[in-house]
Every structure is written in C-alpha cells, then in structure tokens.
Amino acid sequence: MDVGACRLCLVEIAGSNKLVPACTTQVADGMVVATTSERLQRYRRLLLELLFAERNHVCAVCVSNGHCELQALATNLGMDHVSFPYTFPKLEVDLTHRLFGMDHNRCVLCGRCVRVCWYVEGAATKNFSGRGAGSRIISDLNQPWGESRTCTACGKCVHACPTGALFEKGTTVGEMQKDRGKLEYIVTAREKKQWIV
Amino acid sequence: MFGQPTLINNVETFACVPAILRRGAEWFAAIGTERSKGTKVFALAGKVKHTGLIEVPMGMTLREIVEDMGGGVPDGGQIKAVQTGGPSGGCIPAAHLDTPVDYESLGRLGSIMGSGGMIVMDQQDNMVDVARFFMEFCRDESCGKCVPCRAGTVQMHDLLCRLLARQATARDLAKLEELCDLVRNTSLCGLGITAPNPVLSTLRFFRQEYLDLLAPEPWKPATPPAPSPASADTRPQPPHPASPWLPKSSPSTVRKSAPPKGRASSRPPTRRASASPPSATWRA
Ligand code: SF4
Ligand code: SF4
Ligand code: SF4
Ligand code: FES
C-alpha cells in the first residue's frame, strides 16, 4: 500500500532520465539503480524543507521530538536550515477524542492514518478533505474526532503516523513513541498467517 | 472502467471523429504537417481584435493566426509574446512569430500545444506577472498528494509575488530556478511536472524582466565571506535510530562505478556559509 506521494525515495535508473519512486516501482532484471547521488540528496533535502515550511513544526515543544520520522529524515539528510519562508498556516488541534489528539500543525499529509484506518482497522474514519495546500485529514465527514461514530478508538492511526500529528493524550514533549511493530505484527499475521513478534 | 479496457479522450478528439468518418482518414491526414496532422482548435484570447475559438490546420504560423485571424493588437500595439498550451504551456516571444504551429516546433521553443489556449500579450504585459498568474492557477489546481507540487507551487507563487513587489533578491531568483528544477523532476503527475513551465519559458526569453524587478542586496559584501571552519560542527552525527531505510555511510549505490562527486554544496553561497555544508554532517 505504498502511494509514492512524498517523493523522498526517488531513485535514478540507468538509461532513463526520469526519477522513479522506489516504493512503487518493481525491480526488473538488469535494472541499474542509484539510490544516492548528489542530485537525489539535494532534491530530498529540498522536499523536506518544503514540508517543514508548509506547516508549523516546532520540534522543541512537540510530543514526537526525538521519535519523529520527519525529524530523523532531516537529521540524516543534513537539512540544517529551511531556505524557504515558513508559511505559518493557522491550523487546529483536535482534542475531542477521549484517548487521542490530532495536531494539524505537524501533519505531512502522508495518508498513513487514512490507509491504516481503512485497510487494517476497516473503520474508514480518517479521510482527506480539500486539495492542494488546503488538504486536511478529517474524521468521518469533518466532524470533531470525538464525535465520530465509526472510530473504534483502536489507535492504529496514531501509531502509523510518522510525526507528532497524531498522539495519545497525556503525552508531553518528546514522550510520544510510536509502536509500528504492533501494526506490522497484525498485517503479517493476516496476510502471511505468520505470528512473528 | 468496470474492469474493462477503457480509453478516455477529450472532447476535442471526439469532435474530430465524425469528420474523419465522413471524409476518410486520408483527407484528415492530408491537412497539417508531416508529423502533426489534421487541425487544431485554439481559444484565441488576450490582446487581439478578434478573440474566440478558431480551428486552424497544423503548421500555420503563429503570425498568421494572431495577426491575420486575430487581427493583431487592438489600437495598433506591438505583440510581445504568445502564450500557448494553457497554464502549463510556455510563452513564445514575438521574434518567433513565424514558427509553424505544430507539436515539434512548439516543443523546441519550450511550449506545448496542450489544452489549445492561445493568449496574446503586448508591450504592456509584464511577463513575471504572467508567470505569477499561471502559477496561481497551478497552485490552486494541485491535488495535494505529492509534496513538490503541493508545497512547491505555493513557494514558487510566493517568490513571484515577492519579485513583483520588488522585494526579491538575486538569491530568491536562484531559489525560484532551483524550485522549478525540483518540482519538474520530482512531481508525481503531469500537473506538477509542467507547473514550472510558465516560469521557465518566461525566464528563457524574458530574463531581463525578472532582473529588472530584483531588489538590491545592500547587506551583501562584494565577495562572499569564506566559510570559517572553526564554527562548523564537524562532530560525527550518529544516524537516527528511527530511520533504518536511509543510507548511513558512503553512497550505497548499486551502480558499479559510482563516481564520488565533489562534496561541495551546490547551493549558492549564503550568509550562513559558516554552517557546515549539509553533506558533511550526514556522511560523517
Ligand atoms: S512532527 Fe516531528 S518534525 Fe514536526 S515538530 Fe514534531 S518532532 Fe519536529
Ligand atoms: S483510532 Fe482506529 S478507528 Fe479511530 S480513527 Fe484511528 S485508526 Fe481509525
Ligand atoms: S499519518 Fe500523521 S502525518 Fe500522515 S497524514 Fe495522517 S496525521 Fe498526517
Ligand atoms: S514516494 Fe516512496 S516513500 Fe514516499
């Protein structure tokens, strides 16, 4: 269920000047792939900068500080500053759910929460709304999460989310550690009938 | 659709079908040039006397279309450029008005046939504003799925607005070009891939108009300061535990002869040049 949306995994394939996303491209015999090059790393850094400038990421006060995939990518790629002006959108934080919170300021619109909610939990609570820079993750038909009648409060979206956008209530700065292992366990058990912890 | 092979064509294609059925494929193919056959419908607009929908044989020159059919600029003005191909097309300067309108010739000038839009601009039109207008369209039409198109068009539009407000510097212009390259090469679909076209084509033929709008950089010293290694953070950085999919050491390319490129930062020298070059930290 890869979507090829973030473009961070773009790779070069010899003989083609089109960059392709590794996550959605099938390998073929004799394919010569370069996963790292000066150009690719530059593109990746720029893409990350765009993500950081798009919403309000203030790691120092974020629940995911230190356990965030976005932050980790930035560290690994040596993105030491953002060369684009921040757009500072005014975004909401939805704390209506009994157990979880959603902070749109940290969302990168990767859609993992939507996919896990539809295809692993089967609740179909999380959805996209809007388009372009106005895209938002919504619950049901854009209700407060707490009023959603489809949400089973399973927490799968929270643990699939790579950033501090979805979190468990009661966590404070740097405390929200995501447990992706649990999700992988469920999916391998279902798809391969293997119960590997 | 419904599990069956499906071909979806646009209305213009469908409109050609009855005529081809009636008069035969040879008749249709006889119109136009060797590689671009048949006719093409354009929506002629902008600074011309007669605007509206026109159907022309492929290979007609731009001049014939805008001056003869369109009647030229009202009140005798001068044509400056013709924009073809809709929002993601390109601007063709007046010097190339004798270009035949076919897929290959337009492509060579960095434009496209695209949706068949044809907008005529005269001396009063500022090409940066034209680029900004089309970028606004692309920004608003982005679906928002992939990052370069969703966020890149926002930044490109902002940069063009800053240029028009005479607040952009040479560095911003370099940033704009860098963004064009990024968005064109990394976007997921055609909208993002072609979104930088209006900027690229106006930059190609009307760069001076961009340069004229640049604000001076009063703080910029005559020569950029040399990076001071003393302040650079050269400590080795441990790879972050949460991202096992990223290369941790030397380029892990599968290609046999990966040339170790120069590590110099490709960014333009900035005032923050004292910070360590990006590649130095993650590769350490
Ligand atoms: S989500 Fe990640 S990158 Fe964004 S503020 Fe939180 S820790 Fe930082
Ligand atoms: S908690 Fe479970 S059911 Fe509720 S929105 Fe998240 S994934 Fe869907
Ligand atoms: S998983 Fe998190 S970052 Fe990704 S779209 Fe959902 S809320 Fe946003
Ligand atoms: S595009 Fe492949 S991981 Fe995002």
Side-chain angles (χ1 to χ4, degrees), chain A residues 4-9 21-23:
Chain A
C6 72
R7 318 306 283 168
L8 289 168
C9 69
C23 65

Side-chain angles (χ1 to χ4, degrees), chain A residues 2-190:
Chain A
D2 293 310
V3 288
C6 72
R7 318 306 283 168
L8 289 168
C9 69
L10 287 180
V11 295
E12 287 166 359
I13 292 185
S16 146
N17 39 22
K18 228 184 129 215
L19 305 175
V20 296
C23 65
T24 59
T25 307
Q26 281 212 326
V27 284
D29 262 353
M31 203 184 233
V32 181
V33 185
T35 58
T36 315
S37 72
E38 194 271 328
R39 173 178 179 228
L40 288 174
Q41 298 298 82
R42 181 165 49 87
Y43 282 164
R44 287 175 188 151
R45 266 195 302 272
L46 280 172
L47 288 169
L48 282 176
E49 290 181 20
L50 284 175
L51 277 177
F52 273 87
E54 185 183 33
R55 300 255 166 136
N56 303 306
H57 291 274
V58 191
C59 299
V61 292
C62 179
V63 285
S64 278
N65 193 7
H67 314 287
C68 170
E69 289 183 35
L70 180 65
Q71 195 185 42
L73 281 165
T75 319
N76 279 329
L77 285 165
M79 191 204 88
D80 51 7
H81 68 293
V82 175
S83 56
F84 302 110
Y86 281 83
T87 54
F88 298 119
K90 286 206 165 50
L91 296 166
E92 291 175 357
V93 181
D94 183 347
L95 292 172
T96 54
H97 196 281
R98 188 165 52 88
L99 300 173
F100 315 120
M102 158 103 212
D103 183 352
H104 291 276
N105 294 291
R106 314 282 198 243
C107 175
V108 291
L109 295 169
C110 63
R112 280 195 201 170
C113 53
V114 177
R115 298 198 298 283
V116 81
C117 190
W118 279 69
Y119 303 121
V120 181
E121 178 60 6
T125 307
K126 291 272 177 237
N127 280 297
F128 281 105
S129 76
R131 67 171 176 192
S135 307
R136 300 281 181 276
I137 295 294
I138 53 170
S139 300
D140 282 351
L141 297 171
N142 204 4
Q143 281 130 305
W145 196 358
E147 286 168 26
S148 160
R149 305 178 85 192
T150 55
C151 176
T152 60
C154 67
K156 291 193 173 76
C157 54
V158 174
H159 289 282
C161 177
T163 69
L166 293 171
F167 53 90
E168 284 166 358
K169 277 189 174 173
T171 50
T172 177
V173 177
E175 283 185 359
M176 187 60 233
Q177 296 212 38
K178 306 290 172 95
D179 185 1
R180 259 183 86 75
K182 210 183 287 168
L183 298 172
E184 271 156 29
Y185 170 77
I186 296 173
V187 174
T188 6
R190 280 190 203 164

Side-chain angles (χ1 to χ4, degrees), chain A residues 7 42-43 54 76 83 132, chain B residues 150 175 181 186 243 266 282:
Chain A
R7 318 306 283 168
R42 181 165 49 87
Y43 282 164
E54 185 183 33
N76 279 329
S83 56
Chain B
R150 181 182 77 223
K175 201 79 214 167
D181 175 57
T186 62
S243 53
S266 57
W282 69 268

